[in-house]
Amino acid sequence: MRRRPDRSPDRPSRPSGPRRTRAPLAPRHRFRIVVPLVLLAFVASVLLVEGYTTRGFAGDQEGRGGRPATGVPRSIADGGPVVDTTNDHLRTYRTPDKTVVLTFDDGPDPTWTPRIQAVLDRYGTPGTFFVTGQQTARYPDVLRRVVRSGHEIGVHTFSHPDLTTRSASDVDRELSLTQLALAGAAGIHSSLMRMPYSSTPSALDAPEWSLARSLGEKGYVLAFIDQDTNDWRRPGAREIADAATPAAGRGAVVLLHDAGGDRSQTVEALETLIPRLQAQGYRFTTIADLVGTDTLTSPVDTADLWSGRIFVAAVTVSATAVTAVSALLLVVGSLVLARCVLLIVLARHHARRRRPDSGGHRPVTRPVSVVIPACNERLCIPKTLRSLAASDHPVEVIVVDDGSRDGTADLAESLALENVTVVRQPNGGKPAALNTGVLRASHDLVVMLDADTVFAPSTVGRLVQPFADPRVGAVAGNAKVGNRRRLLGRWQHIEYVMGFNLDRRMYDLLHCMPTIPGAVGAFRAEALRDAGMVSADTLAEDTDLTMALHRAGWEIRYVPDALAWTEAPSSLRELWRQRYRWSYGTMQAAWKHRHALLERGPAGRFGRLGLPLLTVFQIFTPLLAPLIDILALYGLVFGNPLTTVLAWCGVLAVQAVCAAYAFHLDGERLRPLWALPLQQVVYRQVMYLVLTQACLTAINGYRLPWQRLKRSGDVALPPRPSTRRT
């Protein structure tokens, strides 16, 4: 074994070794952790508000309990359209002859309610608007204008359900939320109500009558109808006006609609109906006038007013946010499906290619220099060096000890392995260590690997074959998880096979590889010099270097059977730190090389294809992927649990098919895929938090220090069930 003195180049490099550097501004660090959690909590909160106010809990939508059904009294069935059962009285009120009450259901609507109100105001005609709480909360200004014009307001529930099919608690919620919306929008409460899907008193059945008695006990006066115009069918303005005209001078409570669709025919019908009835001597009034009172609404106190305003604001924000979340979910779902289809199609094509690795040239047999940057890698370095010593390709191994304090360099020397050189230098970071090794390399082909990585005997030989093509400047190998016995290791094993290596097959075909993994990559020394060597500008020096090689005009290949086993983080804390660094470093590299979007040749191809794919599939999609799980929980609580479970399983099935095919291509056993469901749930949340934190770090300009992971040395070469070359 040879030992060379330190002759590292005098090149500035940001410290990125094992120094325990704390973030200089702890509050800013906490800010980057708190914000992702706040965003998740916000999304969960708006979904909770929207679900509770519009759907209710899944278990609430059952048959009504409570008061048993009784027969409808004759006095009610044969009575007038206004029913008052408050204070244990049974009273009905008829509409006097030559008197009409115009009622409008399902509003307010921002388009049609103002037009209907304008017609009523022009003719000095009062109207009774039975509003839903949901529409009121969405369009409070519309309701306020109706109230200021002196029109009557009644309750039509919050979300327009059939109350006879709802539980008592669900009915109470519908009423209380509607009163909250009225208080917030117009500062009023109303004791006038029309049940959804009700018609005339004579059409009441036993359950509806039981419900009517219950509502009367709560203080509501119920309004039914005499004449239904069926304007929601849009039969034509003349037909609507004719249906609203009472026969033989009688009075009537008339049902119309100011929301729920195109109500232009209703507006036109009013222009005909009101002058017609006025010419016939009819007068227009309100339900309160029929009952014999000035009003059925009352102002609210200050506490109820502000409670209502807060509620209206919350519903407005929730409705807007849910619309946005739903749109984003559609985008994410489409991207996930498109990505899986694209990966499978391109990976299949990649695996079935028959061209040899050397591209038709003579095999590469010349010696190769292997550079290993090492800093406090005592636990890992022996396995790494012994695996290289067993290589079936001639290699020169250069271990660059980057200021280790645990005796890494001494241990490497004590192994006394042939063709292994140890170079010591003060801690300058991984990029500086790699550059030192490259400058000391004796051969024009350089393989780089991490000190915790183990090569198969055939890895180096297979990795360098594409260099027979003089256009190739670098080659990516197939990095695998070497410590996969625990659950977290299995999750990362799935991710490496399904995500990283399947992605690389796609990028290889498209000639836009964004990253040569630091665990297993090979480079032409000339290409490294053209790219400016390994830069310390970003935390993802491998991604930065790969992009620089594209911009220098070199081709980059992927060899899936050049296998390397690396040590993955063994705890969620370590995983977080690693992915945080990767995510932030990838963003740094993409920003650094953004000008590739405007360049020509290989650089332009990478810029216009590789950078967008990287942004969409490694940043945008993982950032939004937790929406799948959040909306699944939403569906379980507020929707149909069976449908929700089937939809979530459908997404999982797509992922499982993609993963199984990736495992097949890599010759891996399928047994670890039992952990895929949990991996999908946990990883989505971890990646969301990591990516959000990385984005915030990039936005506020904080320079993230290097954070070295703890090593266990627990890396082993698993038995290969298949020797298929792909």
Side-chain angles (χ1 to χ4, degrees):
M1 175 179 292
R2 296 166 293 168
R3 175 177 176 182
R4 297 182 180 178
D6 174 31
R7 291 180 297 164
S8 59
D10 187 15
R11 173 192 173 104
S13 174
R14 177 168 51 84
S16 56
R19 298 176 182 174
R20 298 184 178 275
T21 307
R22 296 188 176 219
L25 295 176
R28 296 175 70 182
H29 184 68
R30 288 195 297 270
F31 171 79
R32 294 191 306 274
I33 296 175
V34 169
V35 168
L37 296 176
V38 169
L39 290 175
L40 266 182
F42 171 76
V43 173
S45 298
V46 297
L47 288 174
L48 182 63
V49 171
E50 198 274 343
Y52 182 77
T53 56
T54 61
R55 299 172 182 266
F57 294 105
D60 283 343
Q61 300 181 16
E62 304 169 353
R64 259 185 61 81
R67 180 189 299 273
T70 59
V72 182
R74 175 66 62 182
S75 60
I76 299 297
D78 296 338
V82 180
V83 177
D84 183 1
T85 62
T86 60
N87 300 321
D88 291 328
H89 296 294
L90 298 181
R91 292 168 292 187
T92 67
Y93 300 90
R94 294 185 180 276
T95 313
D97 292 344
K98 292 285 186 174
T99 302
V100 170
V101 179
L102 297 178
T103 65
F104 304 90
D105 283 8
D106 301 343
D109 181 272
T111 300
W112 303 112
T113 301
R115 297 187 185 184
I116 289 173
Q117 179 193 335
V119 175
L120 296 176
D121 291 347
R122 188 166 65 252
Y123 289 104
T125 302
T128 300
F129 292 83
F130 289 95
V131 301
T132 66
Q134 193 174 71
Q135 290 290 98
T136 298
R138 289 176 178 172
Y139 309 110
D141 292 340
V142 177
L143 182 71
R144 279 194 288 271
R145 288 194 293 270
V146 172
V147 172
R148 283 197 296 266
S149 292
H151 299 287
E152 189 173 46
I153 303 298
V155 172
H156 202 44
T157 72
F158 190 85
S159 57
H160 203 277
D162 182 354
L163 295 181
T164 61
T165 66
R166 297 300 180 105
S167 67
S169 62
D170 207 8
V171 172
D172 290 340
R173 184 180 66 248
E174 286 284 332
L175 299 176
S176 62
L177 292 180
T178 306
Q179 296 290 2
L180 263 178
L182 289 175
I188 61 171
H189 283 162
S190 176
S191 58
L192 174 62
M193 180 178 179
R194 173 173 286 162
M195 296 186 297
Y197 308 107
S198 62
S199 58
T200 63
S202 61
L204 283 171
D205 58 19
E208 289 173 329
W209 173 240
S210 177
L211 175 62
R213 291 296 304 272
S214 174
L215 294 172
E217 292 173 0
K218 300 177 188 299
Y220 286 97
V221 174
L222 302 180
F224 295 91
I225 65 172
D226 289 308
Q227 294 183 222
D228 187 354
T229 63
N230 288 312
D231 62 331
W232 59 274
R233 297 179 184 271
R234 287 184 290 173
R238 180 180 296 274
E239 287 76 6
I240 294 173
D242 291 343
T245 303
R250 295 177 181 175
V253 174
V254 179
L255 173 61
L256 298 151
H257 294 83
D258 64 327
D262 184 351
R263 295 291 172 253
S264 58
Q265 292 183 5
T266 302
V267 176
E268 185 179 351
L270 289 173
E271 296 279 8
T272 300
L273 175 66
I274 295 175
R276 174 196 295 177
L277 293 180
Q278 287 177 338
Q280 296 176 10
Y282 276 85
R283 75 181 184 95
F284 295 91
T285 188
T286 62
I287 299 294
D289 183 56
L290 297 185
V291 175
T293 184
D294 292 335
T295 181
L296 290 171
T297 61
S298 59
V300 299
D301 58 28
T302 303
D304 287 342
L305 177 64
W306 282 104
S307 297
R309 288 177 176 176
I310 293 172
F311 174 74
V312 168
V315 171
T316 302
V317 171
S318 297
T320 304
V322 167
T323 301
V325 167
S326 300
L328 288 174
L329 180 64
L330 179 62
V331 172
V332 170
S334 301
L335 287 175
V336 169
L337 180 61
R339 177 177 181 270
C340 288
V341 172
L342 183 64
L343 285 176
I344 290 176
V345 171
L346 294 182
R348 178 177 175 81
H349 180 64
H350 186 276
R352 299 182 71 177
R353 289 188 307 178
R354 294 303 179 186
R355 67 169 178 80
D357 292 338
S358 60
H361 300 276
R362 296 180 61 181
V364 176
T365 58
R366 60 186 184 273
V368 174
S369 296
V370 179
V371 176
I372 307 173
C375 183
N376 295 336
E377 300 285 1
R378 181 181 180 87
L379 292 176
C380 304
I381 199 67
K383 287 184 179 180
T384 301
L385 293 178
R386 290 191 178 104
S387 72
L388 292 170
S391 175
D392 56 17
H393 192 94
V395 295
E396 168 200 40
V397 180
I398 303 172
V399 179
V400 181
D401 182 78
D402 191 46
S404 296
R405 298 187 302 274
D406 67 347
T408 297
D410 294 335
L411 179 58
E413 290 175 337
S414 69
L415 296 175
L417 296 174
E418 187 178 358
N419 295 327
V420 174
T421 301
V422 176
V423 177
R424 302 171 188 255
Q425 69 176 29
N427 179 260
K430 185 177 179 181
L434 288 171
N435 288 329
T436 297
V438 171
L439 292 176
R440 283 159 173 71
S442 303
H443 308 293
D444 67 325
L445 298 182
V446 179
V447 171
M448 298 180 186
L449 72 155
D450 294 332
D452 63 339
T453 302
V454 175
F455 275 16
S458 61
T459 298
V460 174
R462 292 176 176 177
L463 191 61
V464 298
Q465 293 310 307
F467 288 114
D469 184 344
R471 297 171 300 174
V472 175
V475 180
N478 190 340
K480 294 182 173 294
V481 174
N483 54 327
R484 61 181 76 164
R485 287 190 291 271
R486 297 181 178 179
L487 181 60
L488 188 59
R490 290 191 181 97
W491 286 345
Q492 293 174 89
H493 172 48
I494 294 172
E495 182 186 25
Y496 271 59
V497 176
M498 175 185 172
F500 300 155
N501 293 324
L502 205 59
D503 280 349
R504 289 191 182 101
R505 292 177 183 271
M506 174 185 71
Y507 289 128
D508 190 27
L509 280 178
L510 299 178
H511 302 283
C512 59
M513 185 82 63
T515 303
I516 298 172
V520 52
F523 304 85
R524 199 184 296 274
E526 179 187 355
L528 288 173
R529 289 191 293 270
D530 289 345
M533 302 295 283
V534 184
S535 172
D537 293 340
T538 73
L539 290 178
E541 75 289 332
D542 46 5
T543 301
D544 187 4
L545 176 60
T546 307
M547 294 180 178
L549 288 168
H550 279 294
R551 298 185 68 188
W554 291 94
E555 289 192 12
I556 299 173
R557 300 273 177 82
Y558 172 55
V559 181
D561 57 357
L563 304 177
W565 289 265
T566 188
E567 182 176 333
S570 57
S571 69
L572 281 176
R573 177 181 176 83
E574 295 297 309
L575 176 66
W576 179 292
R577 296 172 66 185
Q578 182 194 68
R579 299 312 165 87
Y580 185 22
R581 176 173 59 82
W582 285 4
S583 299
Y584 185 54
T586 299
M587 293 178 191
Q588 287 178 308
W591 180 255
K592 175 181 176 179
H593 296 283
R594 64 191 182 278
H595 299 296
L597 290 166
L598 305 177
E599 295 173 346
R600 297 180 179 180
R605 180 181 181 86
F606 167 75
R608 287 182 287 276
L609 187 59
L611 280 179
L613 286 174
L614 179 74
T615 302
V616 170
F617 292 132
Q618 294 191 30
I619 298 175
F620 180 73
T621 303
L623 196 62
L624 299 178
L627 294 177
I628 297 174
D629 301 309
I630 292 175
L631 289 180
L633 291 175
Y634 173 83
L636 289 174
V637 176
F638 297 111
N640 187 317
L642 179 60
T643 302
T644 300
V645 170
L646 290 176
W648 192 87
C649 289
V651 175
L652 180 62
V654 172
Q655 298 278 16
V657 169
C658 192
Y661 188 65
F663 271 59
H664 167 71
L665 290 180
D666 265 23
E668 293 283 351
R669 292 187 176 93
L670 299 181
R671 183 179 300 174
L673 291 181
W674 68 263
L676 181 63
L678 283 176
Q679 189 253 16
Q680 290 295 303
V681 173
V682 174
Y683 258 61
R684 273 200 280 262
Q685 317 318 321
V686 172
M687 292 303 105
Y688 160 78
L689 295 172
V690 166
L691 280 171
T692 306
Q693 188 179 6
C695 288
L696 291 170
T697 301
I699 290 172
N700 67 22
Y702 175 66
R703 193 173 181 84
L704 184 69
W706 185 278
Q707 295 177 326
R708 182 182 177 276
L709 300 179
K710 295 180 180 179
R711 305 296 191 195
S712 65
D714 185 23
V715 175
L717 277 69
R720 301 283 294 162
S722 170
T723 57
R724 175 188 177 199
R725 288 175 61 89
T726 54

